[in-house]
Amino acid sequence: RIGSATSLSSAVINTRLQELVRLFKERTEKVKEKLIDPDVTSDDESPVASAAAAPVPAPGGELEGDKPLGDDHYCEMLCCTFKYQPWLDRLKSYQFPSSIDPLTNLMYVLWLFFVVVAWNWNCWLIPVRWAFPYQTPANIPYWLLVDYLCDLIYLLDILVFQTRLQFVQGGDIITDKKAMKENYLRSQRFKMDVLCLLPLDFFYFKVGVNPLLRFPRCLKYMAFFEFNNRLEAILTKAYIYRVIRTTAYLLYSLHVNSCLYYWASAYEGLGSTTWVYDGEGNSYIRCYYWAVKTLITIGGLPDPKTLFEIVFQLLNYFTGVFAFSVMIGQMRDVVGAATAGQTYYRSCMDSTIKYMNFYKIPKSVQNRVKTWYEYTWHSQGMLDESELLVQLPDKMRLDIAIDVNYNIVSKVALFQGCDRQMIFDMLKRLRSVVYLPNDYVCKKGEIGREMYIIQAGQVQVLGGPDGKSVLVTLKAGSVFGEISLLAAGGGNRRTANVVAHGFANLFILEKKDLNEILVHYPESQKLLRKKAKKVLKSNNKPRDEKGGPGEPLVIPAKADTPKLFKAALAATGRMGGKGPLGRLRWRLKELKAMQE
């Protein structure tokens, strides 16, 4: 009994040890896979909560943890109930940032918008209130209310925002509060901000509410230009905003001129001469109409009568010619910058057509070239993507390549398990190419030097006796040509014809680029070679093993020697091997030995 118990315990121990060895092996394999490919998710089971830790139901049958607290708030949406925080609590818990990045912070751009609105109020309304009789004792409180609201925005910009702006010093981004404040106090921006808030409003008690005393508020122009730069950086079509801004410049110049014309008319006396405003109708609209005709030099205006009117009109004409020419030139630059890509595309296409006509290229080929230009431009917005990224640093090019191509390349079975950094290096070498319908991407038998990844569109693999039967259709995300890219010796020839089915946008990775990358990743190189050999073995199995017809040989086997000729050679050997047959017999033996 003791011996049987001992043998039973030893068997249990051996079984347990074997189980532990098996678990350790599985764990080791998982760790190796995790080291090779960090993207591999762990298969470990989630920890199960202990039964002792389960919450105890309340006497009412409801778990204590399920009871909503008194301060919690819930909202119902569709079939679910979501917990939310009231806006007042969110406002109380919000913490203003200690430092603001002026280049990327959208909150700062929004604040600049309010500052620019306040600046525009002063720039547009101060001349109107000074020249036209729109400011009366009855509405002065409303004008002053908006004026001091704009002054409050100016003051908050100085005290809260400008003293928190980050800046670069010696290549470092400075976020220290004291350093940011000192940098702002030393800047030209601070001097102009203080100047624009000069408290000239105290003179109201002596001279009355004169809008010209608020003219320094227009000196906050730096905020306007900063807002333009920040807004253009985040807009996808910034040229539209540039056109609107240039148009606003023209309208503002006409606005100021209309105010000056009404002031000149009031100085001369309304309706005193045929040149001045006669005081009828809407004063601002009539004066604005006169300003448009003067600055744009349309003509048809009454002749000035007095010396003051002549000098005023001359200055108007000179200013109008200068301002209008500047506006036209700026508008031309804005439109030219907006259509620079289209102009480049047209010049390239015109040069190509001129070249093809000079060498009398067939019309069918010319039409395909034109189609390629049209589709490439409309699908990508450019002819060559590499030209757009060549000026960027290597790290930024990698970030863009990861966002654009990583999801496609990471799903390629051939590269799964490879070093992640190797895939990143490979992304920077990918080149985008557009193929037209029925274009041959690669042909059977040609030397393979590229691998193809389908970004958009479809390609068809052709085969069969006539080479025109569709074997398979590959869609976006599929890969082909990878075996020719990795095969050594004579295995790098294409095994099928591949034709674009419709327009196809492909990524191309060349063999020399991959070899340059694999030099730095030997483990990934071994893994890729192993996968390539495995695929080549499966592709090179003869079909007659499965009962199908064998692959026709490029060089057919040599036919057997006729029996009569074999008998003559044997008789010659028995006779001593002399004569022509003897020499032939000796030559055949030599060839047989070489074959073996």
Side-chain angles (χ1 to χ4, degrees):
R1 289 180 180 177
I2 295 174
S4 61
T6 304
S7 62
L8 181 61
S9 62
S10 63
V12 172
I13 291 172
N14 287 334
T15 305
R16 183 59 180 164
L17 287 175
Q18 291 176 2
E19 182 70 17
L20 287 174
V21 170
R22 185 181 64 80
L23 291 175
F24 276 120
K25 284 184 178 180
E26 292 180 358
R27 184 65 179 171
T28 304
E29 292 296 328
K30 291 178 181 178
V31 171
K32 286 175 66 177
E33 291 179 3
K34 190 70 176 176
L35 290 174
I36 293 175
D37 188 4
D39 292 334
V40 177
T41 56
S42 176
D43 295 331
D44 297 341
E45 295 181 357
S46 301
V48 182
S50 174
V56 180
E62 187 179 352
L63 295 179
E64 294 181 0
D66 295 339
K67 288 184 178 181
L69 298 176
D71 295 336
D72 291 345
H73 300 267
Y74 294 84
C75 65
E76 293 185 359
M77 184 179 297
L78 297 180
C79 60
C80 303
T81 303
F82 299 96
K83 183 178 178 181
Y84 75 96
Q85 194 176 10
W87 66 270
L88 187 59
D89 294 343
R90 289 201 301 268
L91 188 62
K92 290 179 180 179
S93 61
Y94 177 76
Q95 292 183 353
F96 198 81
S98 59
S99 64
I100 300 173
D101 184 2
L103 300 179
T104 59
N105 196 315
L106 294 180
M107 182 191 68
Y108 179 65
V109 178
L110 180 61
W111 172 252
L112 285 178
F113 169 75
F114 290 111
V115 176
V116 170
V117 169
W119 178 77
N120 275 280
W121 167 269
N122 292 311
C123 290
W124 286 79
L125 272 300
I126 288 176
V128 171
R129 293 159 60 186
W130 164 72
F132 292 90
Y134 292 152
Q135 178 177 297
T136 62
N139 59 20
I140 279 182
Y142 302 106
W143 290 107
L144 295 180
L145 176 64
V146 182
D147 285 345
Y148 293 130
L149 181 62
C150 295
D151 291 350
L152 178 62
I153 294 176
Y154 280 17
L155 190 62
L156 289 176
D157 183 59
I158 295 174
L159 298 178
V160 179
F161 284 88
Q162 296 301 321
T163 55
R164 285 178 165 85
L165 293 184
Q166 302 173 5
F167 65 98
V168 179
Q169 185 177 32
D172 296 330
I173 300 177
I174 306 300
T175 58
D176 181 67
K177 290 184 178 179
K178 185 177 179 181
M180 291 187 295
K181 185 180 296 184
E182 291 177 353
N183 178 68
Y184 172 60
L185 295 178
R186 292 193 303 265
S187 65
Q188 183 71 20
R189 176 79 171 266
F190 173 72
K191 299 175 183 177
M192 297 301 297
D193 288 347
V194 172
L195 186 62
C196 75
L197 279 178
L198 283 177
L200 300 180
D201 302 45
F202 288 111
F203 289 99
Y204 286 172
F205 297 105
K206 188 174 183 180
V207 298
V209 182
N210 189 347
L212 286 181
L213 293 175
R214 294 187 54 82
F215 181 76
R217 304 297 190 271
C218 300
L219 298 178
K220 202 174 176 65
Y221 59 89
M222 289 186 177
F224 172 70
F225 291 111
E226 184 183 8
F227 174 71
N228 290 334
N229 295 333
R230 300 291 175 262
L231 188 62
E232 289 179 8
I234 63 177
L235 291 176
T236 55
K237 295 183 178 180
Y239 66 90
I240 297 178
Y241 174 72
R242 296 190 190 107
V243 172
I244 296 174
R245 186 183 64 204
T246 306
T247 306
Y249 290 160
L250 177 60
L251 296 177
Y252 182 74
S253 62
L254 296 172
H255 169 78
V256 173
N257 194 31
S258 64
C259 295
L260 291 175
Y261 174 64
Y262 185 88
W263 169 81
S265 299
Y267 177 78
E268 287 282 294
L270 298 179
S272 59
T273 64
T274 57
W275 180 84
V276 300
Y277 169 59
D278 56 6
E280 296 180 1
N282 188 294
S283 57
Y284 181 77
I285 299 297
R286 292 292 186 91
C287 293
Y288 201 91
Y289 173 73
W290 182 91
V292 170
K293 295 182 70 175
T294 303
L295 284 185
I296 305 181
T297 61
I298 297 176
L301 294 171
D303 296 330
K305 304 298 182 182
T306 65
L307 180 63
F308 175 80
E309 294 175 358
I310 294 173
V311 173
F312 188 90
Q313 188 74 332
L314 287 176
L315 292 176
N316 246 336
Y317 281 139
F318 288 139
T319 306
V321 171
F322 175 75
F324 198 65
S325 61
V326 169
M327 297 301 172
I328 291 178
Q330 190 169 3
M331 189 69 74
R332 183 205 60 190
D333 294 339
V334 169
V335 176
T339 59
Q342 185 76 17
T343 304
Y344 172 73
Y345 156 71
R346 292 304 314 174
S347 63
C348 291
M349 191 170 183
D350 293 343
S351 300
T352 305
I353 293 174
K354 183 178 179 181
Y355 173 84
M356 291 188 296
N357 289 332
F358 180 78
Y359 285 99
K360 298 180 181 179
I361 305 297
K363 287 295 181 181
S364 58
V365 178
Q366 291 192 25
N367 291 335
R368 293 185 66 82
V369 171
K370 294 176 184 177
T371 305
W372 181 89
Y373 267 107
E374 291 283 348
Y375 178 78
T376 304
W377 175 256
H378 290 295
S379 61
Q380 299 180 170
M382 63 195 73
L383 297 178
D384 189 1
E385 293 180 350
S386 60
E387 293 181 358
L388 183 67
L389 306 177
V390 69
Q391 296 178 352
L392 294 178
D394 189 67
K395 180 64 173 63
M396 290 186 180
R397 287 205 303 270
L398 175 60
D399 293 341
I400 294 176
I402 290 174
D403 291 336
V404 175
N405 306 329
Y406 182 73
N407 288 335
I408 297 177
V409 178
S410 61
K411 296 176 184 177
V412 178
L414 183 67
F415 298 120
Q416 291 180 358
C418 293
D419 193 304
R420 195 175 186 181
Q421 189 60 42
M422 187 214 78
I423 297 179
F424 289 166
D425 292 344
M426 192 174 65
L427 291 177
K428 294 185 292 185
R429 306 294 185 97
L430 293 178
R431 183 166 51 90
S432 179
V433 177
V434 175
Y435 287 89
L436 302 184
N438 301 322
D439 272 356
Y440 275 89
V441 180
C442 57
K443 293 186 177 182
K444 183 177 181 180
E446 69 179 11
I447 302 298
R449 299 182 181 88
E450 305 93 6
M451 180 192 74
Y452 301 91
I453 303 173
I454 304 176
Q455 180 190 15
Q458 298 178 357
V459 298
Q460 293 178 338
V461 182
L462 305 182
D466 56 352
K468 296 182 179 179
S469 301
V470 179
L471 303 180
V472 67
T473 300
L474 303 177
K475 300 182 179 180
S478 302
V479 179
F480 60 95
E482 69 274 16
I483 302 305
S484 298
L485 199 68
L486 296 170
N492 58 345
R493 289 186 178 273
R494 302 295 187 192
T495 57
N497 294 328
V498 180
V499 179
H501 180 61
F503 291 96
N505 197 336
L506 309 181
F507 287 125
I508 295 179
L509 177 65
E510 297 186 357
K511 189 171 187 176
K512 62 181 182 64
D513 292 334
L514 182 61
N515 291 336
E516 291 175 2
I517 295 172
L518 291 178
V519 170
H520 306 287
Y521 304 96
E523 293 297 328
S524 299
Q525 185 177 17
K526 292 178 183 178
L527 180 63
L528 290 176
R529 297 292 183 192
K530 185 178 179 181
K531 288 185 177 182
K533 288 179 181 178
K534 187 183 295 185
V535 176
L536 281 173
K537 283 183 180 179
S538 62
N539 290 343
N540 290 336
K541 286 182 180 179
R543 297 185 184 179
D544 52 359
E545 290 182 6
K546 302 178 183 179
E551 191 73 29
L553 299 176
V554 179
I555 302 177
K558 182 170 66 73
D560 291 339
T561 306
K563 295 181 179 180
L564 182 61
F565 192 59
K566 284 183 178 179
L569 291 177
T572 304
R574 288 193 295 270
M575 293 171 59
K578 295 179 180 180
L581 288 177
R583 289 193 299 272
L584 183 58
R585 184 173 180 271
W586 175 80
R587 182 60 178 166
L588 287 174
K589 282 185 178 181
E590 192 179 38
L591 288 174
K592 188 176 181 182
M594 288 175 64
Q595 272 187 344
E596 292 174 354

